Amino acid sequence: MTTVAPRAAGSAKAAKPATMAQALRQAMRDAMAEDPTVHILGEDVGTLGGVFRVTDGLAAEFGDDRCTDTPLAEAGILGAAVGMAMYGLRPVVEMQFDAFAYPAFEQLASHVAKTRNRTRGALPLPITIRIPYGGGIGGVEHHSDSSEAYYMATPGLHVVTPATVEDAYGLLRASIASDDPVVFLEPKRLYWSKSQWSPGAPATVEPIGRAVVRRPGRSATLVTYGPSLTVCLEAAEAARAEGWDLEVVDLRSLVPFDDETVVASVRRTGRAVVVHESQGFGGPGGEIAARITERCFHHLEAPVLRVAGFDIPYPPPMLEQHHLPGVDRVLDAVARLQWEADS
Amino acid sequence: MKKSSTTVQEPPGAVVHRTTPPPVWQPRTDPAPLLPDREPYRVLGTEAAGDVDPELLRRLYAELVRGRRFNAQATALTKQGRLAVYPSSTGQEACEVAAALVLQERDWLFPSYRDTLAVVARGLDPVQALTLLRGDWHTGYDPREHRIAPLSTPLATQLPHAVGLAHAARLKGDDVVALAMVGDGGTSEGDFHEALNFAAVWQAPVVFLVQNNGFAISVPLAKQTAAPSLAHKAVGYGMPGRLVDGNDAPAMHAVLSEAVRRARSGGGPTLVEAVTYRLDAHTNADDATRYRGDGEVEAWRAHDPVRLLEHELTERGMLDRDGISKAADDADAMAARLRDRMNADPELDPMDLFAHVYAEQTSQLREQAALLRAELDASAEPADDAPGQGGTR
Ligand SMILES: Cc1ncc(C[n+]2csc(CCOP(=O)(O)OP(=O)(O)O)c2C)c(N)n1
């Protein structure tokens, strides 16, 4: 674990709470200032600062060659990033939205994930692929997919997703510093969430791959990540009234998966619910539940449950509240943890 | 309504309709210099042949003969089970050899699966070049050491890599050129389009070499594209397209050299279409008689790149029977060395399966590596449950 002191952003700003979008920008800014090989590329990342303004100001500060508006072509962007990495650069690629990263999937699966392996370690590809993902912002079709299962199913990629402002900074710094490709999933509905952490403040950067207990508890564990963390924390508060003392584990990294933290928690509590908004069938929760069951079987008081989005293409915005797992659905699952063998 | 000839004063703030659009878009390049010639560029059999450096001709000839022999030997190795598959470039040797010879040491080559000859002509150990096709590992060499990207199996996906690398080199101030090779079928892929577009917009120092060998496995060019030629595709991106006889080694060398020179001097990318023919089947596993007739193949045999150059050299008195048989002997010796080395079983360490997935193994991979280690150790121990010694399996 290392503590880095980011360059002071304007002191007037430093006192104000920061949003996740600002923390991400600060992470890129600091990485670019420290390491001239860090380059940003994507659609609208330059003058506009990205459609979510995450790269705002970086082209002005570092120039078009370091923060580049590319032609509109995701395979081209990621493919060019591969070549840039081959020549010693550290590209940070922005995909505009989750569902618009699919044209680049071929590059991701066939080259980005495999090049270190196929060259026996001779050619690592230190590429960070930032993808805003998930729903809850009223986006129309193709703007709300939770695509993490695809990336998790592709060996050779790291897959991380921050749920807090501090983690947005720390995880992105760690991802850019990683010698392996990282799919960095940004929960877009948390872009504007705030924290007392400010862009000038020191931040902790841990190697990726560690989960964290966000809320300690004794009666059951909620295992979650990214956009669903706030839902789980709220549910844990609400469950107190029912006498449930819920522990909340934020995975932060889906690949590698921190079995240790998750297993330790579930062995303590004896019960677990996995919560995420991507689909349940073939989704991350199935893998996580299986791992928990394999390792904690004799500690479990009830089957591991999953609360996930429905197995449907992402719904139209006016219906998304029915699809996204909310506090009530999590609490219902917690109630079902009072499982009895003969019921 | 009657047309008024008086100019009506627009009220302030109203939109004035213009008959010509305001200048948001303007044509930036005169397309004429970008257009390829109607006929592929040729040197052999023309006056230009007399101007080619004799040393270059000799070098090209030696490489063509070795390349032809290499293809034959590698195909033979598939029959002996020493190679999992081999996509021969017989008939296309001039493209392969020229692609390698026009590059400086600091330049990069981005080959496809068919381009082992280019890789070997660039100086890579042939056994390393065949590692992928033998099946003992996916690449077999350090791309950065040799400045040769891994042979790409997915079509056209290596082209954006070439653009990114060339772009990065230029950003660093290095005068490095990337030459990327693709087949005619590969030009239909989205990555081909994206790579050309990026290269032209970034003015990246890249040369795209399309080897139009007539077929994508069984599908002829007519079913692949409706373009006048593949070289014409360049114009739409704003780069020059060049058409060249892919069986004419000095012509290939000249056109690619010119493209490399343009790229190195800041002139941006070029698309070169080499018109050639695949004399062998797609790979040893393919049956070419299902999609083409003998007549067609024989007609192309008469335009064989090795024989074309041999003829030129003989005519000019630069090559005689002795020279021809010496070149053949050299190639045979090379093939014999290759055969010997390929006939040794490669030493494989199964634990390598986990060694290079990530810089640091995940705990998941460490567990899986321990499982395989235990399996290997168990299978190495003498069996204590041989049949008849009890145990209910
Ligand atoms: C993306 C992709 N799709 C399909 C294939 C299967 N495939 C291998 S070679 C080939 C034909 C390629 O033809 P062409 O680009 O003309 O190259 P050539 O083999 O003639 O050198 C096909 C379809 C592939 N390798 N990659």
Side-chain angles (χ1 to χ4, degrees):
Chain A
M1 188 190 289
T2 50
T3 299
V4 296
R7 296 172 336 140
S11 52
K13 268 190 185 163
K16 280 198 215 139
T19 62
M20 182 179 279
Q22 281 174 315
L24 293 166
R25 179 187 318 139
Q26 188 68 23
M28 283 184 273
R29 188 169 175 241
D30 292 344
M32 291 173 92
E34 273 169 33
D35 180 353
T37 68
V38 176
H39 282 244
I40 292 175
L41 53 161
E43 295 157 11
D44 305 292
V45 296
T47 312
L48 184 66
V51 291
F52 292 104
R53 307 290 182 271
V54 177
T55 57
D56 195 17
L58 297 178
E61 187 172 349
F62 295 98
D64 293 352
D65 283 346
R66 298 281 305 281
C67 181
T68 307
D69 278 332
T70 63
L72 217 165
E74 292 73 17
I77 295 169
L78 190 52
V82 169
M84 291 166 76
M86 288 170 91
Y87 206 77
L89 300 184
R90 268 179 198 275
V92 180
V93 161
E94 178 174 304
M95 294 287 159
Q96 206 155 60
F97 281 92
D98 32 61
F100 305 138
Y102 300 145
F105 200 83
E106 219 267 323
Q107 285 290 339
L108 192 71
S110 294
H111 295 289
V112 175
K114 290 178 179 163
T115 297
R116 170 189 285 281
N117 187 252
R118 69 210 285 232
T119 62
R120 286 185 194 247
L123 195 58
L125 293 180
I127 303 174
T128 304
I129 303 149
R130 297 180 35 243
I131 310 178
Y133 83 120
I137 63 160
V140 295
E141 205 192 3
H142 306 299
H143 291 76
S144 299
D145 286 17
S146 294
S147 35
E148 57 267 36
Y150 298 125
Y151 306 119
M152 288 174 73
T154 306
L157 304 176
H158 289 307
V159 184
V160 304
T161 175
T164 68
V165 175
E166 290 83 346
D167 269 0
Y169 182 88
L171 279 175
L172 187 50
R173 289 300 304 269
S175 301
I176 297 172
S178 168
D179 284 335
D180 284 316
V182 181
V183 175
F184 190 92
L185 298 168
E186 301 175 0
K188 62 172 90 72
R189 78 170 124 133
L190 298 182
Y191 270 145
W192 304 280
S193 65
K194 286 191 178 161
S195 135
Q196 286 310 310
W197 182 84
S198 61
T204 302
V205 178
E206 293 179 52
I208 54 187
R210 305 232 176 108
V212 64
V213 176
R214 290 285 176 206
R215 183 191 194 280
R218 282 173 296 109
S219 27
T221 302
L222 302 181
V223 182
T224 191
Y225 56 86
S228 296
L229 175 66
T230 46
V231 174
C232 288
L233 289 173
E234 234 183 279
E237 276 311 301
R240 276 211 308 199
E242 312 283 326
W244 285 90
D245 179 19
L246 298 179
E247 180 147 309
V248 179
V249 173
D250 173 6
L251 293 173
R252 307 200 279 193
S253 167
L254 296 168
V255 184
F257 187 85
D258 184 355
D259 285 299
E260 210 181 311
T261 302
V262 173
V263 166
S265 172
V266 178
R267 286 191 177 171
R268 250 189 332 264
T269 63
R271 293 175 166 86
V273 181
V274 188
V275 183
H276 59 61
E277 66 179 60
S278 77
Q279 80 287 355
F281 188 87
E287 173 63 31
I288 296 167
R291 304 186 82 80
I292 293 173
T293 307
E294 284 171 353
R295 289 163 179 77
C296 307
F297 186 69
H298 294 294
H299 298 78
L300 286 174
E301 307 285 341
V304 182
L305 300 181
R306 285 171 290 165
V307 177
F310 297 136
D311 302 331
I312 57 173
Y314 198 85
M318 290 169 81
L319 292 172
E320 69 178 347
Q321 78 274 19
H322 301 293
H323 165 74
L324 294 171
V327 172
D328 287 346
R329 227 171 262 166
V330 176
L331 291 175
D332 284 349
V334 170
R336 278 192 285 137
L337 289 176
Q338 286 168 317
W339 183 77
E340 284 173 26
D342 55 355
S343 67
Chain B
M1 214 202 266
K2 210 182 125 198
K3 263 194 181 171
S4 160
S5 60
T6 54
T7 313
V8 179
Q9 192 66 42
E10 292 284 344
V15 176
V16 182
H17 294 281
R18 303 167 54 128
T19 51
T20 51
V24 172
W25 177 85
Q26 272 157 359
R28 282 185 302 186
T29 318
D30 172 11
L34 306 181
L35 279 165
D37 292 336
R38 285 189 164 270
E39 281 298 310
Y41 178 68
R42 291 196 177 97
V43 167
L44 295 176
T46 75
E47 285 193 357
D51 300 334
V52 186
D53 172 16
E55 252 333 287
L56 175 64
L57 290 180
R58 284 202 185 88
R59 171 108 199 261
L60 286 170
Y61 178 70
E63 292 285 353
L64 290 188
V65 174
R66 286 157 58 89
R68 174 65 50 94
R69 188 68 187 84
F70 189 100
N71 278 326
Q73 183 57 60
T75 302
L77 285 166
T78 62
K79 301 202 175 94
Q80 296 151 26
R82 284 296 179 182
L83 283 180
V85 66
Y86 187 71
S88 163
S89 58
T90 293
Q92 304 176 224
E93 292 91 343
C95 306
E96 296 284 314
V97 164
L101 296 196
V102 296
L103 296 180
Q104 308 276 325
E105 205 176 315
R106 63 186 178 285
D107 296 334
W108 274 74
L109 180 71
F110 286 78
S112 84
Y113 52 85
R114 196 176 297 286
D115 303 319
T116 32
L117 288 194
V119 167
V120 172
R122 183 155 170 76
L124 191 78
D125 176 352
V127 173
Q128 290 188 335
L130 290 172
T131 303
L132 170 82
L133 301 166
R134 169 152 74 168
D136 59 323
W137 204 260
H138 296 310
T139 295
Y141 52 89
D142 179 345
R144 280 201 286 221
E145 184 188 341
H146 303 281
R147 285 162 303 281
I148 303 171
L151 297 164
S152 185
T153 307
L155 296 167
T157 53
Q158 76 279 22
L159 306 182
H161 305 169
V163 177
L165 181 133
H167 177 64
R170 208 167 62 129
L171 290 178
K172 283 196 177 180
D174 301 340
D175 67 344
V176 164
V177 172
L179 188 151
M181 305 173 77
V182 66
D184 43 296
T187 65
S188 300
E189 290 280 357
D191 279 30
F192 171 84
H193 159 72
E194 297 190 22
L196 264 71
N197 191 47
F198 268 64
V201 170
W202 285 351
Q203 284 292 287
V206 190
V207 177
F208 300 99
L209 169 57
V210 179
Q211 289 180 76
N212 173 6
N213 63 9
F215 292 90
I217 308 187
S218 65
V219 179
L221 189 67
K223 290 189 183 171
Q224 201 67 244
T225 181
S229 78
L230 297 172
H232 275 84
K233 296 195 176 218
V235 184
Y237 301 101
M239 72 176 78
R242 295 292 173 250
L243 199 55
V244 53
D245 183 335
N247 289 22
D248 182 330
M252 280 302 303
H253 192 274
V255 169
L256 288 176
S257 294
E258 169 63 16
V260 166
R261 191 202 53 73
R262 182 184 301 113
R264 204 183 305 285
S265 62
T270 304
L271 173 65
V272 176
E273 175 187 355
V275 183
T276 182
Y277 192 81
R278 194 190 74 211
L279 288 170
D280 285 348
H282 171 65
T283 68
N284 54 293
D286 170 44
D287 174 9
T289 62
R290 293 181 71 113
Y291 53 85
R292 65 188 189 188
D294 290 345
E296 176 183 321
V297 182
E298 287 320 309
W300 273 94
R301 251 185 235 293
H303 194 63
D304 175 323
V306 186
R307 299 286 99 78
L308 281 184
L309 187 54
E310 202 168 271
H311 180 74
E312 175 77 25
L313 292 173
T314 317
E315 290 279 286
R316 287 168 66 175
M318 289 168 58
L319 190 69
D320 56 15
R321 279 187 178 283
D322 282 356
I324 292 173
S325 54
K326 185 177 176 312
D329 291 348
D330 285 352
D332 280 342
M334 176 276 303
R337 281 194 303 275
L338 177 62
R339 196 166 53 234
D340 287 348
R341 294 181 64 205
M342 293 297 288
N343 275 331
D345 287 328
E347 276 180 31
L348 304 180
D349 179 0
M351 297 312 291
D352 266 7
L353 289 176
F354 303 101
H356 307 295
V357 184
Y358 299 101
E360 228 180 282
Q361 278 181 18
T362 61
S363 59
Q364 289 79 43
L365 285 179
R366 281 197 298 274
E367 275 177 26
Q368 292 158 28
L371 167 73
L372 181 61
R373 177 83 272 159
E375 284 175 5
L376 293 171
D377 290 348
S379 65
E381 280 164 20
D384 55 13
D385 59 346
Q389 299 202 348
T392 50
R393 294 225 157 171

